[in-house]
Amino acid sequence: MSVKTPNVGIVIVSHSPLVARGTADMVRQMVGDSVPLAWSGGNSQGELGTDAGGILTAIEAAWSEAGVAVFVDLGGAETNSEMAIEMLGLPRAKLISICNAPVVEGAVIAAAEASGGASLAKVVATAEELSP
């Protein structure tokens, strides 16, 4: 269970539960409990894939009034993350950004930025600097 802070939350979404969990573990070891953090990996049967309901649960677990940055690995993860954000509804949906950044590197650098109290826009911009 993540500790609620005023910092931007981070959500990791991967088709692989192991990748999602491993990335979240790495982020947690880098920034401790200073950033709300959650992950969603695999489909509803625990196989490779993603699940909008699971992503929604992760967003709610990492929720912060400062916003939530979501990191996705492949196209289906992005599509299901968009669906989860729609399911969350307004006004909270406006405080969530899907980052165009590598999952592991992006999540780590974003969490480091968020741990210092940066805004959602700054967290996203910092992570997206890593994109080719």
Side-chain angles (χ1 to χ4, degrees), residues 62-108:
W63 180 254
S64 168
E65 292 300 322
V68 176
V70 179
F71 292 85
V72 299
D73 62 358
L74 300 170
E78 184 171 1
T79 301
N80 279 330
S81 293
E82 290 168 352
M83 288 174 46
I85 292 165
E86 286 180 23
M87 291 162 59
L88 186 66
L90 296 174
R92 293 196 297 166
K94 290 185 174 197
L95 294 174
I96 302 169
S97 290
I98 298 173
C99 297
N100 178 23
V103 174
V104 177
E105 298 93 332
V108 168

Side-chain angles (χ1 to χ4, degrees), residues 25-87:
D25 287 345
M26 188 172 176
V27 169
R28 183 60 72 214
Q29 289 181 39
M30 300 288 268
V31 300
D33 289 331
S34 63
V35 174
L37 175 69
W39 61 270
S40 177
N43 64 20
S44 59
Q45 291 80 39
E47 299 166 346
L48 288 181
T50 58
D51 174 63
I55 297 167
L56 176 60
T57 299
I59 290 170
E60 289 174 334
W63 180 254
S64 168
E65 292 300 322
V68 176
V70 179
F71 292 85
V72 299
D73 62 358
L74 300 170
E78 184 171 1
T79 301
N80 279 330
S81 293
E82 290 168 352
M83 288 174 46
I85 292 165
E86 286 180 23
M87 291 162 59

Side-chain angles (χ1 to χ4, degrees), residues 7-24:
N7 295 332
V8 169
I10 304 290
V11 170
I12 293 126
V13 180
S14 174
H15 282 68
S16 165
L18 295 173
V19 169
R21 183 181 323 120
T23 302

